[in-house]
Amino acid sequence: MTNTPVPPATGGTGRPPSFFTRAGIPQSISYGYLGLLIFMTGVGIEAAYLAPYLEGLGIPAADVAMVFTVYGVTGAVAAWFAGALSDLWGPRRVMWLGLGTFALTQVFFLAVAVPSKAYPLLLLGYGLRGLAFPLFAYAFLVWIAAVAPRDQMGTAMGWFWSAFSAGMPTLGSLGASLMIPVVGEYGTLWVELGVVAAGGLVALLLVKEKTGSARLAPAGESPLAGLVGSLTILYRNPRVGAGAAVRMFNTASQFGFMVMLPAWFVHTIGLTNGQWLRLVAVMFGTNILTNLLFGIVGDKVGWRTTVAWFGGIGCTASVLVLYYVPTAVGSQYAVALLVAVLYGATLSGYVPLSALMTAIAPEHKGQAMAALNLGAGASTFLGPLVVSLFLGPLGVGGVVWIFAGFHAFSALLMLLLKLPASTAPAAAPAPPAPATAAPADQDLVGAPATKGL
């Protein structure tokens, strides 16, 4: 990688720091964050109603579930490819690929598959559409890692996840609630295509930064070696493998809870369906704000420390609170909201993981992010799989303890992780650390501008 991150003091222009620089958003790609927000808002429009809409067309529930399962599989593959291909082609080209894929597959899905109500066409159209948003979004994540200043990497990643979460499902679901009464459910899906296209074009046409248009992998590395390397890095660099595992455990509980908790909160605890939906909105609305907060915290106190304690240990506690407190107090909606806020906030403790990963593999940022994205994709299967296997024999409480164990194990992996001394900042010597501070090879604050664990 020959591109050098711009110094944080000037944004590479020689002028005083801009508002974006002070906020931790790389000035050169600031429009990319806006484009991502709009893009993910479009993707999130369908999130709250597509499954029941398809069932309302007469598609059996089991077939609808399989359509979404295939969507998840292709999304996991695309998440891995986003990092691997960004290394080889540059993030901008991969984002164009994601945008083009969304446009083509959405038109096929809406113009052919949905009107036909044919299960194979629905499976093909929506399954292929699963490739689209990970290619766009996670390629931009690689771009951030390539250009963000080392002392603001966690904050830059926090802004990414805030924009991501604000779009899907928060603003997307809100947009759907406003558009469906006007243009109907089917018409809203066409509006979704327009919103996604607008977001993609904002990011790709308004961002002029050059690093994202260039290959990130070392010169001379063959494409095949790059693709294979994005998998073999999991064992070539065990630290990267550990980071991918932590990312898998990070949101496994989230995806599992979305399968298990709606019926539990409504039928066992006694909330109404409307209260449950508002609870989810508050949970992930909190997540939008705390994603940025923990990105800043990670830059201040250490990325590894933040992930281990606020993410791993925090979620271990919050998933148990999310189950046991409502069990104890019943349908006390205000209490349920408070525990939902706690869970949404602690999920954000994992945000610095993206900054930490490429600090471990600075010569292969895309490969490291491909591994991280693979972990993210795996979590979409792990959570529902745990529910399907253990809800019957263990009940909701037993599944909650499994998820708590996942989070506790992720914290242990982070606490045992030792970072190479070469990842420490190469800036002017820092004053001696107090006796209680972590050694340079155990934690990282303001790491080099690389992506990863």
Side-chain angles (χ1 to χ4, degrees), residues 238-325:
R239 297 180 179 94
V240 172
V246 170
R247 181 63 186 88
M248 178 178 67
F249 294 135
N250 170 194
T251 48
S253 62
Q254 175 186 333
F255 289 107
F257 283 165
M258 291 304 101
V259 174
M260 177 178 70
L261 291 188
W264 181 75
F265 265 107
V266 172
H267 300 304
T268 302
I269 299 302
L271 300 186
T272 67
N273 190 57
Q275 286 177 323
W276 160 251
L277 292 175
R278 289 192 293 273
L279 183 145
V280 172
V282 170
M283 180 188 298
F284 291 104
T286 300
N287 193 245
I288 295 168
L289 300 176
T290 52
N291 280 340
L292 175 59
L293 171 64
F294 282 113
I296 297 171
V297 169
D299 285 337
K300 300 298 183 182
V301 307
W303 299 334
R304 185 185 66 102
T305 296
T306 302
V307 172
W309 290 101
F310 292 101
I313 300 300
C315 281
T316 302
S318 68
V319 298
L320 296 174
V321 169
L322 186 63
Y323 171 72
Y324 281 104
V325 170

Side-chain angles (χ1 to χ4, degrees), residues 8-392:
T10 65
T13 66
R15 294 190 294 270
S18 68
F19 166 79
F20 294 105
T21 300
R22 292 193 299 271
I25 297 175
Q27 172 74 39
S28 59
I29 57 172
S30 56
Y31 279 114
Y33 287 87
L34 175 60
L36 176 72
L37 172 62
I38 299 170
F39 185 98
M40 295 309 301
T41 297
V43 173
I45 284 174
E46 68 188 31
Y49 81 92
L50 182 59
Y53 169 70
L54 293 177
E55 291 180 22
L57 295 178
I59 312 301
D63 288 348
V64 172
M66 181 55 65
V67 167
F68 280 88
T69 298
V70 173
Y71 178 88
V73 171
T74 56
V77 172
W80 166 64
F81 268 113
L85 293 179
S86 291
D87 243 7
L88 299 174
W89 297 348
R92 185 189 295 275
R93 292 182 182 177
V94 181
M95 292 172 70
W96 274 116
L97 179 61
L99 177 59
T101 300
F102 189 97
L104 291 174
T105 55
Q106 183 76 341
V107 168
F108 176 82
F109 182 67
L110 296 181
V112 179
V114 170
S116 75
K117 302 180 185 179
Y119 173 60
L121 293 178
L122 290 168
L123 202 64
L124 175 65
Y126 200 65
L128 289 177
R129 232 211 59 198
L131 297 169
F133 96 76
L135 288 173
F136 183 91
Y138 294 137
F140 183 61
L141 189 62
V142 176
W143 201 341
I144 294 170
V147 303
R150 67 186 183 183
D151 59 338
Q152 292 184 316
M153 181 67 73
T155 306
M157 296 296 183
W159 278 110
F160 170 89
W161 289 112
S162 291
F164 188 104
S165 300
M168 186 180 73
T170 312
L171 292 179
S173 296
L174 176 61
S177 69
L178 297 175
M179 285 183 288
I180 289 174
V182 178
V183 299
E185 293 175 321
Y186 181 68
T188 298
L189 293 174
W190 281 106
V191 173
E192 173 184 8
L193 174 59
V195 176
V196 167
L201 293 176
V202 165
L204 291 166
L205 298 182
L206 297 184
V207 175
K208 307 299 183 182
E209 201 277 331
K210 302 299 183 184
T211 301
S213 300
R215 171 191 175 96
L216 302 181
E221 183 177 275
S222 71
L224 179 60
L227 289 174
V228 172
S230 64
L231 289 176
T232 60
I233 196 172
L234 292 169
Y235 62 84
R236 284 190 290 110
N237 189 334
R239 297 180 179 94
V240 172
V246 170
R247 181 63 186 88
M248 178 178 67
F249 294 135
N250 170 194
T251 48
S253 62
Q254 175 186 333
F255 289 107
F257 283 165
M258 291 304 101
V259 174
M260 177 178 70
L261 291 188
W264 181 75
F265 265 107
V266 172
H267 300 304
T268 302
I269 299 302
L271 300 186
T272 67
N273 190 57
Q275 286 177 323
W276 160 251
L277 292 175
R278 289 192 293 273
L279 183 145
V280 172
V282 170
M283 180 188 298
F284 291 104
T286 300
N287 193 245
I288 295 168
L289 300 176
T290 52
N291 280 340
L292 175 59
L293 171 64
F294 282 113
I296 297 171
V297 169
D299 285 337
K300 300 298 183 182
V301 307
W303 299 334
R304 185 185 66 102
T305 296
T306 302
V307 172
W309 290 101
F310 292 101
I313 300 300
C315 281
T316 302
S318 68
V319 298
L320 296 174
V321 169
L322 186 63
Y323 171 72
Y324 281 104
V325 170
T327 297
V329 304
S331 57
Q332 300 295 318
Y333 186 54
V335 175
L337 284 176
L338 288 176
V339 297
V341 165
L342 177 63
Y343 176 64
T346 54
L347 273 179
S348 300
Y350 287 95
V351 160
L353 191 60
S354 299
L356 185 57
M357 186 72 103
T358 52
I360 294 172
E363 297 303 318
H364 289 93
K365 301 177 181 66
Q367 288 186 11
M369 289 310 299
L372 191 69
N373 294 342
L374 186 62
S379 73
T380 66
F381 301 108
L382 179 62
L385 179 64
V386 168
V387 173
S388 66
L389 292 178
F390 297 104
L391 182 60

